[in-house]
């Protein structure tokens, strides 16, 4: 199939009517930031709604929703490859990429895809931050973080971690705070809340099941802690997420 004539015609029309794309350096800077684990830069990019900003966005489909789907896949593919190049295990990176693309494939609205894009980029960025940090962290802290991640659905204590590392509790607490900038308990709690957010957004587990899964002492303790960290109760957090999706679906169906 010879598409030469059609391409020349399309190129002429594009030249006359289409707006310029974003500078490629801007995209490379963002991918570099994710791969470098620069959480602050990525969060600022998300805050500015750069992904959904139509200015400079390529037109890959006549349908806005489908257009954003294509851009999501491209961004995920680029982020994945930048992270692999910067040290993330290849199979882990591709598995994470597949996970988010499959989630996106089930999304039904632009806000839902945009939120998933932000979560995907931050997920890769946070994991790269850990990888980069592990290159300068001491071996005990690297082992400590690995243990926390693999046991996050249990109740983890400093004593348990200290016994695992054959260190005293006081020494581990001081070393962890020195290298990570936060206490062990704060780090564990923040990670549990991140896991809870994912479960509230992408699963149908009820709140008490999530509280039990993450080993909070009670449902009320989970609710109070979640609200303190996010400003919303788990119920309101979940409702807000799904409400935004349904409002968009209803708008598109009208």
């Amino acid at each position: 199939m010879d598409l030469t004539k059609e391409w020349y015609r399309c190129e002429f029309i594009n030249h006359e009517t289409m707006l310029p794309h974003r500078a490629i350096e801007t995209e490379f800077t963002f991918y570099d930031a994710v791969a470098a684990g620069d959480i602050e830069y990525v969060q600022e990019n998300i805050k500015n709604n750069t992904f959904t900003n139509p200015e400079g966005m390529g037109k890959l489909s006549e349908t806005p929703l489908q257009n954003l789907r294509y851009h999501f896949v491209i961004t995920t593919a680029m982020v994945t490859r930048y992270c692999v190049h910067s040290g993330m295990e290849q199979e882990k990176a591709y598995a994470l990429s597949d996970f988010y693309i499959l989630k996106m494939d089930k999304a039904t609205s632009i806000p839902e895809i945009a939120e998933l894009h932000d979560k995907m980029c931050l997920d890769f960025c946070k994991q790269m931050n850990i990888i980069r940090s592990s290159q300068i962290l001491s071996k005990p802290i690297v082992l400590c973080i690995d243990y926390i991640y693999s046991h996050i659905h249990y109740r983890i204590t400093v004593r348990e971690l200290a016994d695992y590392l054959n260190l005293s509790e006081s020494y581990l607490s001081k070393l962890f705070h020195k290298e990570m900038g936060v206490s062990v308990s704060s780090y564990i709690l923040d990670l549990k809340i991140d896991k809870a957010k994912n479960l509230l957004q992408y699963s149908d587990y009820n709140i008490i099941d999530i509280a039990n899964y993450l080993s909070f002492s009670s449902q009320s303790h989970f609710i109070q802690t979640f609200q303190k960290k996010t400003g919303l109760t788990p119920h309101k957090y979940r409702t807000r997420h799904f409400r935004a999706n349904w409002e968009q679906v209803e708008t598109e169906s009208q």
Side-chain angles (χ1 to χ4, degrees):
M1 180 185 297
D2 187 0
L3 299 176
T4 304
K5 290 183 179 179
E6 185 176 346
W7 160 243
Y8 283 136
R9 180 175 179 276
C10 181
E11 185 180 30
F12 176 77
I13 294 173
N14 288 347
H15 175 73
E16 293 294 320
T17 62
M18 292 194 70
L19 296 173
H21 288 69
R22 297 183 189 121
I24 196 167
E25 290 81 6
T26 302
E27 293 187 21
F28 288 163
T29 299
F30 177 72
Y31 300 143
D32 280 331
V34 175
D38 190 342
I39 297 174
E40 184 176 349
Y41 183 94
V42 174
Q43 287 178 328
E44 184 65 24
N45 184 277
I46 289 170
K47 181 180 178 182
N48 293 332
N49 297 313
T50 305
F51 178 62
T52 54
N53 185 357
E55 185 177 346
M57 180 185 289
K59 187 176 182 181
L60 306 177
S61 172
E62 298 292 339
T63 307
L65 179 61
Q66 190 62 29
N67 191 52
L68 201 65
R69 288 186 187 279
Y70 291 141
H71 280 284
F72 184 100
V73 173
I74 291 170
T75 300
T76 305
M78 292 299 294
V79 164
T80 300
R81 283 150 182 79
Y82 265 68
C83 288
V84 169
H85 183 71
S86 296
M88 183 178 284
E89 182 183 355
Q90 181 172 311
E91 288 306 314
K92 179 179 181 180
Y94 285 138
L96 202 58
S97 170
D98 292 347
F99 170 79
Y100 279 107
I101 289 175
L102 287 171
K103 284 290 183 183
M104 182 277 298
D105 194 48
K106 297 178 182 178
T108 57
S109 70
I110 287 176
E112 190 177 358
I113 293 175
E115 184 171 357
L116 192 61
H117 163 272
D118 297 345
K119 183 169 288 294
M120 178 273 295
C121 291
L122 272 176
D123 196 352
F124 270 100
C125 187
K126 288 178 179 179
Q127 297 206 40
M128 287 305 301
N129 184 273
I130 293 171
I131 291 171
R132 289 299 185 93
S133 297
S134 68
Q135 297 171 359
I136 57 174
L137 294 176
S138 62
K139 185 176 180 180
I141 299 305
V142 172
L143 292 173
C144 184
I145 291 172
D146 286 342
Y147 186 93
I148 291 170
Y149 266 80
S150 60
H151 294 77
I152 195 60
H153 54 288
Y154 295 109
R155 181 175 177 270
I156 307 170
T157 64
V158 177
R159 173 176 291 183
E160 178 184 345
L161 289 167
D163 289 343
Y164 172 71
L165 297 168
N166 198 26
L167 299 172
S168 71
E169 291 181 51
S170 60
Y171 178 76
L172 174 59
S173 296
K174 291 177 182 178
L175 184 63
F176 194 96
H177 194 279
K178 178 183 177 182
E179 297 191 17
M180 299 300 295
V182 295
S183 67
V184 177
S185 58
S186 293
Y187 185 89
I188 293 171
L189 189 57
D190 285 344
L191 186 57
K192 283 182 181 288
I193 295 301
D194 282 343
K195 294 290 184 183
K197 287 179 181 178
N198 288 335
L199 290 168
L200 287 166
Q201 292 185 52
Y202 302 115
S203 79
D204 57 1
Y205 294 119
N206 61 43
I207 291 171
I208 191 169
D209 285 340
I210 294 174
N212 290 336
Y213 176 74
L214 293 171
S215 294
F216 282 87
S217 58
S218 66
Q219 182 180 357
S220 60
H221 178 225
F222 169 61
I223 293 172
Q224 290 171 2
T225 304
F226 190 92
Q227 185 171 15
K228 184 177 180 180
K229 288 286 185 179
T230 67
L232 295 170
T233 64
H235 177 72
K236 287 183 178 179
Y237 186 89
R238 170 172 273 172
T239 301
R240 176 174 292 186
H241 173 74
F242 284 107
R243 179 183 297 158
N245 295 341
W246 280 111
E247 285 176 351
Q248 182 64 26
V249 171
E250 290 174 356
T251 300
E252 292 174 355
S253 64
Q254 290 176 353

